[in-house]
């Protein structure tokens, strides 16, 4: 059982096709094929080289297109006024900008510079406001100065020193510490949300 395969072995590896009419090749064609130095491997190498050259040329073309597109976009971005400033400050337009469709290029460049300066100023104002909020919070100092948390932490340390072989006996102290930390978190979130 299992020694014989389910498929019969092939009788031969060659397939012979018979045609109804005889096929004759000229002796010149047979001599040319036999004298040709080209083999299947050289043909496949030539084909592979041809494919690689086409892929390389296509990649080079795509790279050139992308770099051209990138440079065009960079020129557009540097030439156009900052769109985020316009969305934040819609009234920052001058009458010349809103009423005239054309104009001198240096005027447009000066207007773009002015809008960028406004954008920088508004970003700097926001940064200053955030810095002030952070200075008011001083969260680390509150945590260090909170006496209830310090007391709960001390109780845990004391219990662990007493029960160095049985740390699970300190579960009450750990729960008290967790409650104090939860209280501190709620206070912090209350300050942040207000």
């Amino acid at each position: 059982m299992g020694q014989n395969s389910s498929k019969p072995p092939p009788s031969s590896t060659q397939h012979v096709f018979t045609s109804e009419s005889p096929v004759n090749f000229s002796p010149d064609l047979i001599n040319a094929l036999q004298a040709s130095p080209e083999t299947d491997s050289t043909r496949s190498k030539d084909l592979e080289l041809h494919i690689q050259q086409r892929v390389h040329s296509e990649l080079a073309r795509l790279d050139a297109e992308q770099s051209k597109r990138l440079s065009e976009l960079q020129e557009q971005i540097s030439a156009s006024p900052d769109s985020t400033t316009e969305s934040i400050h819609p009234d920052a337009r001058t009458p010349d900008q809103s009423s005239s469709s054309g104009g001198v290029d240096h005027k447009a460049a000066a207007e773009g510079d002015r809008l960028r300066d406004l954008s920088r100023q508004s970003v700097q104002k926001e940064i200053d406001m955030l810095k002030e909020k952070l200075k008011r919070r001083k969260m680390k100092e509150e945590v260090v100065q909170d006496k209830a948390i310090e007391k709960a932490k001390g109780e845990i340390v004391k219990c662990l020193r007493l029960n160095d072989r049985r740390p699970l006996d300190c579960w009450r102290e750990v729960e008290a510490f967790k409650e104090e930390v939860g209280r501190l978190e709620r206070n912090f979130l209350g300050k942040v949300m207000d």
Side-chain angles (χ1 to χ4, degrees):
M1 285 196 103
Q3 289 181 348
N4 296 333
S5 64
S6 59
K7 292 184 179 179
S11 60
S12 70
T13 57
Q14 289 184 344
H15 295 286
V16 178
F17 297 100
T18 57
S19 71
E20 295 176 9
S21 64
V23 178
N24 292 324
F25 296 108
S26 70
D28 293 335
L29 176 64
I30 293 173
N31 288 337
L33 289 175
Q34 288 176 346
S36 174
E38 194 174 79
T39 62
D40 287 341
S41 63
T42 57
R43 271 188 240 116
S44 67
K45 286 179 184 176
D46 287 342
L47 179 64
E48 182 67 27
L49 285 174
H50 177 71
I51 291 171
Q52 285 180 0
Q53 287 174 348
R54 291 218 27 215
V55 166
H56 180 70
S57 65
E58 188 67 21
L59 285 175
R61 184 186 64 81
L62 289 173
D63 188 37
E65 283 179 10
Q66 291 297 324
S67 62
K68 180 182 175 187
R69 178 82 173 127
L70 178 65
S71 64
E72 288 173 359
L73 288 174
Q74 286 175 341
E75 288 175 13
Q76 287 177 354
I77 289 172
S78 65
S80 68
D82 194 8
S83 62
T84 58
T85 304
E86 291 177 5
S87 65
I88 295 173
H89 305 289
D91 57 340
R93 292 184 154 176
T94 60
D96 293 337
Q97 185 182 9
S98 59
S99 64
S100 66
S101 61
V104 183
D105 286 339
H106 64 82
K107 228 181 194 183
E111 183 66 21
D113 290 341
R114 188 182 71 77
L115 288 175
R116 282 189 201 95
D117 288 340
L118 284 175
S119 175
R120 288 185 195 117
Q121 291 170 356
S122 65
V123 169
Q124 189 61 40
K125 284 180 185 176
E126 288 182 36
I127 290 172
D128 291 338
M129 287 180 0
L130 289 174
K131 282 182 181 178
E132 286 298 318
K133 284 183 181 179
L134 287 175
K135 285 179 185 177
R136 282 185 264 146
R137 290 193 182 145
K138 294 182 183 179
M139 181 61 189
K140 278 192 170 182
E141 291 176 13
E142 289 178 10
V143 170
V144 172
Q145 293 176 357
D146 195 329
K147 293 184 181 189
I149 288 186
E150 287 296 319
K151 181 180 175 189
K153 179 181 166 186
E155 290 295 321
I156 290 176
V157 170
K158 181 180 169 185
C159 180
L160 288 174
R161 284 189 180 151
L162 289 175
N163 301 314
D164 63 339
R165 302 273 183 211
R166 299 176 59 178
L168 294 179
D169 288 344
C170 300
W171 65 271
R172 289 182 195 95
E173 289 80 2
V174 171
E175 288 299 319
F177 180 76
K178 285 181 181 179
E179 287 176 18
E180 292 299 325
V181 170
R183 179 189 54 81
L184 188 66
E185 287 176 348
R186 286 189 296 276
N187 289 342
F188 173 74
L189 289 175
K191 289 178 184 178
V192 170
M193 296 298 178
D194 292 339

